[in-house]
Amino acid sequence: MPNLTIAIDGPAGSGKSSVARLVAQMLGYLYLDSGAMYRALALKALHKDISLEEESRLVDLARKTHIELRPPSPEQERAGAKNSVFLDGLEVTLAIRTSDVAEAASRLATIGPVREVLVAEQQRAGAGGRVVMEGRDIGTVVFPDAELKLFLEAAPEVRAERRWKEHREKGEQLTLAEVLEEVRERDRRDRERKVSPLVRAQDAVLIDNTAMNIEETARLVIMLAQQRDDELAKLKGTG
Ligand code: CDP
Ligand code: CDP
């Protein structure tokens, strides 16, 4: 069984959480959704009516906030949740999945000192290895030495449609055009921000899964993980 840290990055709806969760299950690894931490903090800021322009209050809020990711219950899993998310001890697994929270998270994620607090948490959570962590900066900033890095991509229209279907299943009345606009705007902000922008690490394998399902993508990742593990074993043997 490979013993790796696997970093998965990519834009919204590229399949990061579904693929990461399945890969983690297949390998018996821990799965960590870093985006859930940005979403949870954004939810708290919205509840407290803190403006997303007030950087120093948001940094202070980040420092005083405790976010915990746990494996989902079978019921949560059936509802599509991949991690169970606790914000200061309160469960917010479903509450963080609205498009308002996604938008607020991506604005909050442009603030460098807020990222520093969350990145430190993510590094602590994944320090034990045998982990699949996904987000925007995992291979570039959080775990730059991860043994396997993947960058997932898919056509924006396909990513928006995937997200739209999720909203529709939850009974949310958003049009496909609205979701496409939201996804494009969030991608633009994530790619153009000054701190830790969404970018493929030089040593990340690019997987375009526009025409692939979750299982196919996960099987490809498992194959790459096994290859990487073999390479590392050979290096150890000769080194
Ligand atoms: O985490 P990220 O935003 O990158 O994507 P996701 O939440 O894993 O996937 C968004 C939606 O697309 C989910 O409903 C997945 O089931 C679906 N999906 C898909 O249909 N085919 C894929 N290859 C990947 C994801
Ligand atoms: O699931 P989806 O891909 O739509 O988004 P997410 O992974 O839940 O992340 C929500 C927002 O948090 C993203 O749009 C990013 O702005 C931010 N984020 C980040 O900046 N760095 C990460 N490692 C993860 C998320």
Side-chain angles (χ1 to χ4, degrees), residues 8-20 31 33 39 80 82 97 134-136 152-154 158-159 161-166 169 186 209-217:
I8 304 186
D9 292 300
S14 59
K16 300 179 297 297
S17 27
S18 316
V19 171
Y31 160 64
D33 171 5
R39 285 174 181 261
K82 319 272 182 332
R97 294 294 154 195
E134 51 93 2
R136 302 294 187 289
L152 292 193
E153 260 297 1
V158 169
R159 295 191 281 110
E161 194 177 348
R162 292 172 178 172
R163 265 293 131 81
W164 174 70
K165 281 185 184 155
E166 287 181 329
E169 274 159 26
R186 200 143 60 85
N209 69 125
T210 302
M212 286 163 80
N213 66 29
I214 296 164
E215 289 72 23
E216 287 164 339
T217 316

